[in-house]
Amino acid sequence: MESREEVLELTKQLVGIQSIVRTEGEKVIAYSLHTLLSSLPYFTSNPSHVTIEQTTNDEIERYNVLAFVKGTKRPSNRTVILMGHMDTVGVDDFNQSREYAFLPDDWMDRLTNEDLPATIKDQLQSGDWLFGRGALDMKSGLASHIYLLKYYAAHPEELEGNLVFVAECDEEDGSHGILSALTTLADWKKEHQFDYVAAINSDFVSPRSEGDENRYVYKGAAGKLLPSFFITGAETHVGDVFEGLDPNFIAAELTRQISYNPDLCNEALGEITVPPVALKQTDLKPTYTVQTALSAYVYYNFFIHSWSPKEVLEKLKEQAYIAFTNALNLFEERYRAFCQINHQPYKKLPWQPRVFLYEEMEQLLIDAHGDPFIQHMNDFKQGLLNDDTLDTRMFAARVVEESWKWMEDKSPAIMMFYSSLYSPRIELTGKTKNEQVLIDALEHAVDEIQPNYEHPIAVRNFFPYISDASFVAISDDAAGIEAVENNNPGWGTKHYVDYQAIRDINVPVINVGPYGMDGHKRLERVEATYSFEVVPNLTNLVIQRVLHTS
């Protein structure tokens, strides 16, 4: 396929639309893409085969674009899903150059006058790299899928089975796009008898280390959790610091125990996740006072390959006990030293480590207070929904904070919970026929393309970043998902995911996406040869082989 020029132009066209997540641009790009597809002869003849649909259970108005082409080469229900997101992160990092972020040619002209590292300067002058917000993440990948959809819309006689295209919004925030699209995918599955046998996501890939020349394709995807900790202490006046226990002190020790801890890396199929790291750490004092804080809040990014959300809670509960114990031991050590230099008697500390899962604390409170507690918390959460300043993470923290007020024993404690979206892990091992067919198709496609491309194309098992690919398949059992539901304080009010809808689609997924560097950064850029030539052709070979298998 001579794809380079068309995919390049499509990419520039998409980059030119400012589709920053949670802005009006998400609507604009959806309508623009829908207009583009609707104008193609195939879709003018089959208007029901393309649709623009508003997301559901969403706080703002935005849309997905979905389309399908039915092949005529051989009657078949076998169907491949092509998926990619339309939104981008913001452009604050561009500073005074924000107006150029969405104008790749102008932006590259402007960059020629900047003092850039030699490598980047060479890329800029090579004619083989495109710079701009979204050029890499992931409008070039979406452009590749659009190219293939357009091709088969013009040549359905070359397509065995069917091709479904999903351009989703909101990948960069809450994945409302793909989660809403599941309903349409299920409807089409029933109405058109589609047999979803494979999905191909087109998110970007980058070097995994300095000097890495590999262009990666991925089977499956890492899962992503946000384990969160609400920490209470014993307040005191700052003039009597050892009369109380600062929850920030415990939080600091918790972060020391969890962040960058290799014991919390999850290995599977010979690949390992990066360790967790704190994404927020704060106390919850609303204003300045000379009293220590009543509570602190911290949450961590946590990637998984084979652990379930239930196992992660178990492992982190152990780490929380270690951190709490270490904090109390250090507190005692420093208190003893202070007593010695201040010539005052030492008093034994009154506290012991206490760690609760949210579901454990909630059950304790239900057992102690019954319906009054349940009704109060239901009313509290409904009222909290009116506060537009609270995201899902702070909403969850406020629910735990309110629940804590009902605890009879107010001695210091750590409460553990999930406060945000769980992106499920996907292990693609060949355990089903569809998985094995997809794995074989990918490996054969790489073998066919590799002799004609100078850099190695390497196949790995887990896409290492957050991806909407996580929402078309699921590897967790019921207990794993229940741990997410039972330990998210905002579940069913501020936050809800129909994981059964994912299980109903449950299609094996790979990622074949553009190659580039500095995604989410000012110098975001995509390599043209691989991204505009190799990716569409590699994807097409996978499609052809998967659909040809009976």
Side-chain angles (χ1 to χ4, degrees), residues 255-550:
T255 293
R256 193 180 76 88
Q257 184 66 30
I258 292 176
S259 280
Y260 306 110
N261 187 345
D263 290 341
L264 297 173
C265 297
N266 182 201
E267 186 276 334
L269 303 177
E271 297 178 17
I272 191 166
T273 63
V274 295
V277 67
L279 292 179
K280 186 179 185 67
Q281 182 169 319
T282 184
D283 65 45
L284 297 176
K285 286 178 69 172
T287 58
Y288 170 82
T289 70
V290 291
Q291 183 188 55
T292 57
L294 295 175
S295 58
Y297 184 37
V298 56
Y299 51 71
Y300 305 88
N301 184 77
F302 203 109
F303 285 119
I304 52 176
H305 285 167
S306 63
W307 292 339
S308 73
K310 183 174 185 293
E311 289 175 297
V312 170
L313 288 176
E314 292 168 352
K315 293 177 185 296
L316 288 178
K317 189 174 185 180
E318 180 181 350
Q319 296 296 323
Y321 267 113
I322 293 172
F324 207 146
T325 301
N326 289 344
L328 290 178
N329 288 341
L330 182 59
F331 183 98
E332 182 180 34
E333 176 186 326
R334 292 178 176 179
Y335 178 40
R336 284 184 182 276
F338 174 76
C339 289
Q340 184 174 5
I341 63 174
N342 200 41
H343 307 292
Q344 69 181 48
Y346 165 81
K347 296 185 297 184
K348 183 176 175 60
L349 300 183
W351 311 300
Q352 295 294 325
R354 296 202 302 160
V355 181
F356 301 96
L357 298 183
Y358 174 73
E359 62 179 334
E360 293 172 340
M361 181 182 74
E362 185 179 48
Q363 191 59 55
L364 283 174
L365 295 174
I366 291 172
D367 291 344
H369 305 287
D371 289 340
F373 167 75
I374 295 172
Q375 186 60 52
H376 173 80
M377 291 309 301
N378 287 341
D379 293 343
F380 178 80
K381 285 186 274 189
Q382 288 301 316
L384 212 58
L385 289 173
N386 296 322
D387 188 344
D388 295 334
T389 67
L390 297 179
D391 64 9
T392 58
R393 294 154 286 275
M394 284 309 301
F395 183 97
R398 294 303 180 192
V399 172
V400 177
E401 183 180 45
E402 186 68 17
S403 298
W404 172 255
K405 295 176 182 177
W406 289 68
M407 289 284 282
E408 295 178 1
D409 184 352
K410 292 292 198 304
S411 57
I414 296 176
M415 273 62 68
M416 294 176 48
F417 51 99
Y418 292 125
S419 66
S420 188
L421 178 70
Y422 168 45
S423 300
R425 63 193 177 87
I426 300 174
E427 291 184 87
L428 198 67
T429 61
K431 60 183 176 294
T432 67
K433 180 181 178 181
N434 282 343
E435 284 192 9
Q436 193 59 56
V437 167
L438 181 55
I439 291 170
D440 291 344
L442 178 61
E443 291 174 348
H444 279 88
V446 171
D447 289 343
E448 187 169 333
I449 292 287
Q450 186 65 85
N452 302 307
Y453 181 64
E454 61 176 318
H455 298 291
I457 304 173
V459 180
R460 291 179 65 91
N461 290 296
F462 296 98
F463 184 72
Y465 312 115
I466 302 167
S467 165
D468 277 348
S470 288
F471 298 103
V472 295
I474 198 162
S475 296
D476 288 302
D477 59 15
I481 296 301
E482 285 173 4
V484 172
E485 297 172 354
N486 295 339
N487 288 285
N488 188 321
W491 189 262
T493 50
K494 185 71 170 181
H495 179 68
Y496 174 75
V497 175
D498 185 359
Y499 286 104
Q500 185 57 47
I502 303 173
R503 206 179 296 280
D504 290 344
I505 298 295
N506 210 34
V507 57
V509 61
I510 60 174
N511 190 89
V512 181
Y515 173 85
M517 299 178 183
D518 288 337
H520 290 203
K521 298 180 182 179
R522 179 174 178 269
L523 294 176
E524 176 180 352
R525 59 201 182 277
V526 62
E527 182 198 56
T529 299
Y530 182 79
S531 306
F532 304 154
E533 296 180 35
V534 173
V535 167
N537 282 279
L538 183 61
T539 303
N540 187 52
L541 289 172
V542 174
I543 292 169
Q544 291 280 357
R545 192 173 185 90
V546 166
L547 292 182
H548 182 69
T549 303
S550 58

Side-chain angles (χ1 to χ4, degrees), residues 81 143 222 489:
I81 300 170

Side-chain angles (χ1 to χ4, degrees), residues 159-183:
L159 182 67
E160 300 183 40
N162 314 290
L163 203 59
V164 167
F165 169 80
V166 182
E168 70 270 13
C169 60
D170 188 37
E171 191 267 359
E172 298 290 0
D173 185 19
S175 291
H176 285 91
I178 188 61
L179 291 170
S180 297
L182 293 174
T183 300

Side-chain angles (χ1 to χ4, degrees), residues 24-63:
E24 284 288 307
E26 286 194 275
K27 292 167 57 178
V28 173
I29 195 170
Y31 275 106
S32 299
L33 181 53
H34 182 255
T35 298
L36 170 67
L37 297 182
S38 298
S39 67
L40 300 176
Y42 178 87
F43 294 111
T44 58
S45 299
N46 301 278
S48 65
H49 290 199
V50 60
T51 183
I52 182 169
E53 296 181 340
Q54 187 173 350
T55 54
T56 56
N57 301 315
D58 202 348
E59 297 171 341
I60 62 175
E61 181 185 351
R62 49 190 166 190
Y63 297 85

Side-chain angles (χ1 to χ4, degrees), residues 57-82:
N57 301 315
D58 202 348
E59 297 171 341
I60 62 175
E61 181 185 351
R62 49 190 166 190
Y63 297 85
N64 296 320
V65 178
L66 298 95
F68 64 87
V69 172
K70 290 187 174 182
T72 59
K73 183 176 182 179
R74 177 174 67 95
S76 173
N77 292 332
R78 294 179 67 81
T79 304
V80 171
I81 300 170
L82 301 180

